[in-house]
Amino acid sequence: MLIFSSMCGRYGLYTDLAELVEILGFELPMPMEVYGPRWNIAPTTDVLTIIDAGGVREGTMMRWGLIPRWAKPDTAFKRPMFNARSETVSERPTFRDSFSRRRCLVPANGFFEWRRDETGGKTPMWIFDAENPVVVFAAIWSTWNGPDSVVESCAILTTEPNSLMSAIHNRMPVILDADWASIWMDDAADKAVLTEAMKPREWETMQAREVDPAVGSTRNDGPYLIEPRSSLF
């Protein structure tokens, strides 16, 4: 299966779970046997998500591809809403309830984007923070009660690119530092502050490098996918 992302459609998270708990300060209410290192995470798979549970951050696994609570069973899984645009997330019926009440964090070691060249070809790029091994994306989540199952799902917020990303793609995930992450998870935060949180920011330690085209297939996974094929920029 070959997939090229249209916004933020692929990322990696391979840090040990116990280390993630220590770095990001969340709890595990139950064992998480399903978590494991992955270098090629794609939509519709289960991903580690950090939610607010009564003032306590908890880690859980959710389907990447938001299903609104009102979705009908015959259409709920047909079009995965794996990204939500920061400019319209508070207004679109699919996302606005989650934006208002169910904001969350999605940790990552980095993400992939495809840079288009003059001939129309696409080169996969691995974008990461050179000094911070783990970053968090702003995200929203929802609970869908189907006829035979309950599905928790999430979508990652995207925004306009910063100066590094503008040479690669016209969108990027909303990346939050520790202060903005706390605001994002605050139920009392108002819309104006949340809008500010979603704006693109320059990251002096953000780097990008060309990587193996094999990342284009969701069947491929492993650390070789993020090994450099060119100098950083």
Side-chain angles (χ1 to χ4, degrees):
M1 180 179 182
L2 188 66
I3 296 177
F4 287 121
S5 61
S6 59
M7 287 190 190
C8 174
R10 211 70 66 78
Y11 71 95
L13 180 62
Y14 44 82
T15 297
D16 179 77
L17 184 59
E19 187 175 353
L20 285 173
V21 168
E22 183 177 353
I23 293 172
L24 300 177
F26 63 92
E27 297 182 0
L28 294 174
M30 60 186 69
M32 195 175 288
E33 292 88 353
V34 294
Y35 176 84
R38 295 160 67 192
W39 287 262
N40 194 8
I41 299 173
T44 73
T45 61
D46 289 342
V47 300
L48 178 62
T49 310
I50 301 171
I51 65 172
D52 178 82
V56 177
R57 291 188 183 184
E58 290 187 354
T60 186
M61 300 296 287
M62 290 188 186
R63 182 181 189 270
W64 184 18
L66 189 136
I67 303 171
R69 57 182 177 77
W70 42 260
K72 296 180 180 179
D74 59 339
T75 60
F77 297 90
K78 287 188 175 180
R79 185 170 177 263
M81 304 287 186
F82 57 92
N83 286 153
R85 294 176 69 94
S86 59
E87 297 88 347
T88 57
V89 66
S90 64
E91 302 166 0
R92 288 192 61 185
T94 302
F95 302 128
R96 64 189 178 197
D97 183 61
S98 292
F99 174 75
S100 176
R101 303 178 183 182
R102 293 189 170 186
R103 296 182 298 276
C104 60
L105 305 172
V106 172
N109 293 112
F111 63 98
F112 295 97
E113 198 49 86
W114 277 257
R115 183 183 64 194
R116 188 182 297 274
D117 60 33
E118 296 178 354
T119 64
K122 292 182 177 180
T123 301
M125 309 292 293
W126 171 248
I127 300 99
F128 62 101
D129 190 321
E131 293 187 2
N132 299 291
V134 180
V135 299
V136 292
F137 302 145
I140 55 176
W141 66 287
S142 178
T143 300
W144 181 74
N145 292 281
D148 302 311
S149 62
V150 176
V151 179
E152 292 184 335
S153 59
C154 65
I156 294 172
L157 273 290
T158 68
T159 187
E160 295 181 353
N162 59 22
S163 58
L164 182 141
M165 282 300 300
S166 63
I168 301 172
H169 201 268
N170 62 357
R171 303 293 292 179
M172 65 178 286
V174 175
I175 302 173
L176 303 174
D177 63 17
D179 291 338
W180 281 116
S182 295
I183 292 171
W184 184 254
M185 297 287 277
D186 184 358
D187 287 340
D190 62 31
K191 182 179 177 180
V193 175
L194 294 172
T195 299
E196 185 67 24
M198 294 185 289
K199 289 183 178 179
R201 289 177 174 80
E202 298 301 324
W203 291 78
E204 294 182 358
T205 55
M206 179 183 282
Q207 296 183 352
R209 65 188 181 215
E210 294 183 14
V211 291
D212 198 320
V215 71
S217 172
T218 57
R219 292 189 295 266
N220 298 325
D221 198 8
Y224 70 94
L225 293 175
I226 65 171
E227 293 176 359
R229 288 205 163 193
S230 70
S231 60
L232 301 173
F233 75 94

